[in-house]
C-alpha cells in the first residue's frame, strides 16, 4: 500500500467503509492502512505521550461516523487526517509547548536517537530549533495547512478536503505561513528545510 491509499489490487477505502456499515469488523482494515502514518503525524505535532490517545480517538470517531462518509471519495486519507487535525486542535497548547521545547532542545520525539551527533547533525538541530520556534508562532489554521502538506504529504486539494475549507483558503494559508517562516528564518526558504530539517 502506498502512503496515499490502497494499491490497485486492494479494495478502495470507500468500499471498505460501505461494507463496515453492515460488517463492523471490516473497518479494522481502514485502521491497518492509515493508523501508522497518522500516528507519526500526530506524534510530530503533539509528542508520543498524547499521540496514542489522539490516534485512538481519531479512529473511534471515524468508526462512529462511518455512516456519514462520502462514498464517492475512494480514498479516506483526507477524511481521517481531517478528524486527526480536529483532535489535535484540542491539544493546541501541548503542540505549541512541544514546538517550543524542540526550539530549546532540538530533540524530536519521532527521530530522537542515541547515536553520536556529527557536526552536520548539530547544524541540523540548530535549524530544527529555529523552525520549531517559527512554527509555534503561526496561527493554528496556518500551521494545520502547512503541516498537512509538509508532513503528511498532502496536495492542496487533499489538505482542503481534510480541513473542510476551500482550496483557495489552503493556498492563502500556505502562502502566509511560508512568508512568516521565511521572515523568522532570516530569509531562508522554509520549503527547503521543512521535513528534512525538522525531523532529519
Amino acid at each position: 500500500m502506498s502512503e496515499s491509499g490502497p494499491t490497485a489490487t486492494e479494495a478502495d477505502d470507500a468500499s471498505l467503509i460501505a461494507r463496515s456499515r453492515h460488517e463492523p469488523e471490516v473497518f479494522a482494515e481502514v485502521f491497518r492502512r492509515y493508523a501508522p502514518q497518522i500516528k507519526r503525524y500526530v506524534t510530530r505535532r503533539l509528542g508520543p505521550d498524547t499521540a496514542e490517545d489522539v490516534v485512538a480517538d481519531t479512529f473511534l470517531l471515524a468508526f462512529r461516523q462511518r455512516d456519514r462518509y462520502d462514498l464517492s471519495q475512494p480514498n479516506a486519507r483526507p477524511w481521517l487526517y481531517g478528524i486527526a487535525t480536529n483532535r489535535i486542535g484540542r491539544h493546541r497548547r501541548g503542540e505549541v509547548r512541544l514546538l517550543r521545547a524542540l526550539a530549546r532542545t532540538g530533540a524530536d520525539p519521532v527521530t530522537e536517537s542515541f547515536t553520536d551527533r556529527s557536526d552536520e547533525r548539530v547544524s541540523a538541530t540548530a535549524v530544527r530549533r529555529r523552525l520549531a520556534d517559527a512554527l509555534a508562532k503561526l496561527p493554528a489554521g496556518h500551521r494545520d495547512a502547512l503541516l498537512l502538506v509538509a508532513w503528511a504529504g498532502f496536495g492542496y486539494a487533499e489538505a482542503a478536503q481534510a480541513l473542510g475549507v476551500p482550496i483557495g483558503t489552503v493556498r492563502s494559508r500556505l502562502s502566509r505561513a511560508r512568508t512568516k517562516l521565511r521572515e523568522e528564518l532570516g530569509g531562508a526558504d522554509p520549503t527547503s528545510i521543512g521535513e528534512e530539517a525538522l525531523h532529519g
Side-chain angles (χ1 to χ4, degrees):
M1 183 191 71
S2 71
E3 277 283 301
S4 59
T7 65
T9 59
E10 294 179 306
D12 68 30
D13 300 334
S15 299
L16 290 173
I17 292 168
R19 277 185 54 209
S20 78
R21 291 172 179 175
H22 304 287
E23 302 170 57
E25 66 278 2
V26 172
F27 199 82
E29 176 61 17
V30 176
F31 179 86
R32 184 196 65 77
R33 288 179 181 180
Y34 297 106
Q37 60 186 273
I38 290 176
K39 184 177 179 190
R40 283 190 301 275
Y41 175 73
V42 174
T43 299
R44 285 185 171 145
R45 295 203 55 183
L46 298 176
D49 295 340
T50 308
E52 289 283 344
D53 290 340
V54 170
V55 171
D57 218 19
T58 295
F59 281 94
L60 180 61
L61 192 56
F63 180 77
R64 288 179 178 161
Q65 294 180 351
R66 69 193 190 282
D67 286 341
R68 291 189 265 164
Y69 181 76
D70 179 358
L71 296 175
S72 70
Q73 301 295 320
N75 186 333
R77 188 169 176 251
W79 177 62
L80 293 167
Y81 272 86
I83 294 171
T85 299
N86 285 336
R87 302 286 92 187
I88 287 168
R90 295 175 158 214
H91 301 273
R92 289 278 181 225
R93 280 185 281 223
E95 179 183 28
V96 171
R97 266 194 311 274
L98 181 70
L99 287 167
R100 291 203 171 122
L102 179 55
R104 283 190 313 276
T105 67
D108 180 339
V110 173
T111 61
E112 186 64 18
S113 69
F114 301 100
T115 59
D116 291 334
R117 294 181 176 209
S118 66
D119 288 342
E120 183 178 296
R121 185 103 172 117
V122 171
S123 176
T125 298
V127 173
R128 275 200 298 273
R129 288 175 166 181
R130 288 175 44 218
L131 183 57
D133 186 51
L135 285 170
K137 294 176 183 175
L138 288 176
H142 293 76
R143 190 168 50 245
D144 287 342
L146 181 71
L147 298 181
L148 280 170
V149 171
W151 290 354
F154 277 23
Y156 291 1
E158 275 187 314
Q161 186 180 353
L163 296 172
V165 299
I167 195 167
T169 300
V170 168
R171 289 182 194 280
S172 173
R173 288 178 181 176
L174 284 171
S175 175
R176 289 182 180 143
R178 287 175 176 145
T179 298
K180 183 68 174 162
L181 290 179
R182 197 174 287 115
E183 290 170 7
E184 293 285 333
L185 299 171
D189 179 6
T191 58
S192 69
I193 60 173
E195 176 77 14
E196 298 76 20
L198 196 49
H199 302 292

